[in-house]
Amino acid sequence: MKKQVLVAGGGIGGLAAALGASRAGWDVRLYERAAAFSEVGAGVQIGPNVVRRLQAWGLQQPLQAVAAFPSRLQVRNAVSGKELAVLPLGPTAVQRYGAAYATIHRADLHGLLLAAVTKYTDTQLNLEHAIDGFVDGDGVVTVRTSRGKEVEGDALIGADGLWSRTRNQLLGAVPPRVTGHLAYRALVPQHALPDALRTGQVTAWLGPRLHAVQYPVRRGELQNIVVIVQGPAPQDLESWDHAANAAGLDHALQGTCTALQDVVRSVSTAGGPGWRLWPLCDRPPVQHAGEMAQGLVGLLGDAAHPMRPYLAQGAGMAIEDAAELQRALAMHDLDVPLRLTRYALNRWQRNARVQARSTRNGRIFHATGPMRWGRDLSLRLLGERVLDVPWLYRGDGSSASSL
């Protein structure tokens, strides 16, 4: 008789967990609080480390159908507009790391995972059902849903995001950390832009106390634009997400070059939905395996290790988690707590490293004074050597444990 895993959350991490667990031979019941499966947000960058995981699940063709594959990453000074460094992507990434570097609309990534779960697995999808609490005991985990139901399973995976209730019960109700950074995000139809503002590459603009990133998504039909500035966050963090006041962004960009300001102004002139604004939160890097699994309960993605976006690996680490969860759950000669311990041991150090490097990159991206001058000089002198991240793109942390 198959074992059954209960998954809290139907976002990218939850769907990836369901896909991985199903491929490991488990029955899956997934519980999502919302009334429909959907994903807000804008673009996501997924490096070769993540694309390889999608390929292993047979999702290369669905990915090619919806993603863009930028030719290169360019870094520019946000004040002068000058190019600082370039990292070739495209065929170079495939040659170096065995997979492409892709950029994709978050909803498209969510959609291809949902399609795979629906088509290739027997996962039971439960909408308008949140997992509010659990009891781990006597070899089973019993969850209580928001509709008052009690459901038993052999394991519970909390993939319920930054404000995870599963995490709160497992590790204590410590709120996420407010970073003091605000992300303005927008999507613009490329056909509505003048040729000079269209793009087939990733461009990062680095300025004092801010940076911007632009790249194509949805086969290149849309351009994703993100501007992250430092500033105070609203008080109601958990529910706060609204149409941004573009005047605040204009003020933050004073002193930046005309080329960057033209990109930002294109959002209002191209007829898209405009800017959305999110306060960014994270948690300190994972300290030990017990922060990712205890007993019959494991955490995955943002529920375990929310991170700042400065290494573009938030969704990627959730997908890597799910791939390692698949390997661990397939170890049928081990009891379930040991399988989840194996999962956590193989993931926590890599996730912690990515969290720490993401925070460090944010300080570098937003540097002022002498640190900013040193950053620009290093990029001009070392270029590709500074931008490439072999330890990240080659690995997934799957061999960290000796259990």
Side-chain angles (χ1 to χ4, degrees):
M1 185 175 178
K2 285 186 176 181
K3 289 189 177 297
Q4 180 170 260
V5 61
L6 312 175
V7 177
I12 288 170
L15 291 173
L19 185 58
S22 295
R23 292 175 66 92
W26 285 54
D27 283 332
V28 182
R29 291 189 181 188
L30 183 147
Y31 295 87
E32 165 56 37
R33 178 180 302 277
F37 286 107
S38 64
E39 186 63 69
V40 297
V44 177
Q45 299 179 63
I46 49 177
N49 54 309
V50 185
V51 173
R52 285 198 306 273
R53 305 276 66 79
L54 298 176
Q55 290 171 335
W57 286 333
L59 300 179
Q60 175 67 18
Q61 288 187 338
L63 178 66
Q64 287 180 314
V66 296
F69 299 91
S71 58
R72 65 179 196 156
L73 164 65
Q74 177 194 45
V75 180
R76 297 177 67 173
N77 185 300
V79 176
S80 69
K82 292 181 179 178
E83 180 180 279
L84 298 174
V86 170
L87 174 68
L89 300 173
T92 302
V94 176
Q95 182 179 14
R96 286 179 182 171
Y97 302 117
Y101 192 105
T103 51
I104 186 170
H105 193 302
R106 182 176 290 273
D108 292 339
L109 177 58
H110 185 269
L112 71 86
L113 289 170
L114 178 60
V117 167
T118 303
K119 183 176 181 180
Y120 300 118
T121 79
D122 295 323
T123 298
Q124 184 184 112
L125 302 173
N126 299 279
L127 291 168
E128 294 186 279
H129 264 78
I131 291 179
D132 287 342
F134 65 86
V135 176
D136 179 356
D138 298 324
V140 298
V141 59
T142 304
V143 304
R144 183 184 66 258
T145 77
S146 55
R147 292 192 176 185
K149 292 184 178 181
E150 290 193 351
V151 183
E152 289 187 352
D154 298 290
L156 167 64
I157 301 300
D160 41 350
L162 178 68
W163 302 94
S164 168
R165 295 187 179 187
T166 312
R167 179 195 177 97
N168 283 351
Q169 183 173 342
L170 189 69
L171 302 179
V174 178
R177 180 171 66 178
V178 179
T179 66
H181 294 194
L182 303 173
Y184 292 80
R185 295 187 172 108
L187 285 165
V188 180
Q190 296 237 57
H191 69 78
L193 298 173
D195 289 346
L197 294 180
R198 298 176 189 178
T199 189
Q201 67 179 22
V202 181
T203 301
W205 306 77
L206 308 185
R209 297 175 59 82
L210 65 88
H211 85 286
V213 183
Q214 57 180 133
Y215 52 81
V217 297
R218 194 164 289 168
R219 301 171 295 275
E221 297 163 14
L222 300 174
Q223 184 175 154
N224 182 68
I225 304 171
V226 184
V227 183
I228 298 181
V229 302
Q230 294 176 213
Q235 294 189 358
D236 186 13
L237 287 171
E238 188 166 357
S239 61
W240 191 78
D241 163 30
H242 64 77
N245 181 355
L249 182 55
D250 289 342
H251 178 75
L253 290 174
Q254 287 180 0
T256 60
C257 65
T258 301
L260 174 56
Q261 294 194 29
D262 286 344
V263 169
V264 171
R265 290 193 190 103
S266 72
V267 172
S268 59
T269 60
W275 294 100
R276 302 292 292 183
L277 180 58
W278 280 267
L280 299 182
C281 299
D282 69 354
R283 292 186 183 275
V286 182
Q287 295 294 306
H288 53 79
E291 290 188 0
M292 289 194 64
Q294 295 179 22
L296 298 177
V297 183
L299 300 176
L300 183 148
D302 281 353
H305 44 73
M307 59 189 67
R308 304 184 191 192
Y310 305 126
L311 202 54
Q313 284 287 324
M317 289 301 102
I319 291 171
E320 281 193 9
D321 284 351
E324 180 56 39
L325 181 68
Q326 175 182 336
R327 285 188 282 261
L329 292 183
M331 296 176 180
H332 300 294
D333 55 334
L334 301 180
D335 63 22
V336 175
L338 196 54
R339 294 186 221 185
L340 291 180
T341 296
R342 176 66 179 262
Y343 155 74
L345 286 170
N346 281 350
R347 290 300 302 162
W348 80 267
Q349 288 176 304
R350 179 166 170 86
N351 285 321
R353 185 178 186 184
V354 174
Q355 285 177 289
R357 183 62 68 91
S358 298
T359 299
R360 173 178 173 266
N361 277 8
R363 290 194 294 268
I364 295 171
F365 289 2
H366 291 197
T368 60
M371 184 177 176
R372 176 182 165 220
W373 304 331
R375 175 201 68 199
D376 289 1
L377 180 61
S378 296
L379 285 166
R380 284 194 295 265
L381 292 177
L382 301 175
E384 186 176 325
R385 290 171 58 190
V386 174
L387 297 179
D388 203 3
V389 197
W391 66 265
L392 177 63
Y393 297 147
R394 286 199 182 112
D396 66 0
S398 63
S399 59
S401 170
S402 58
L403 263 182

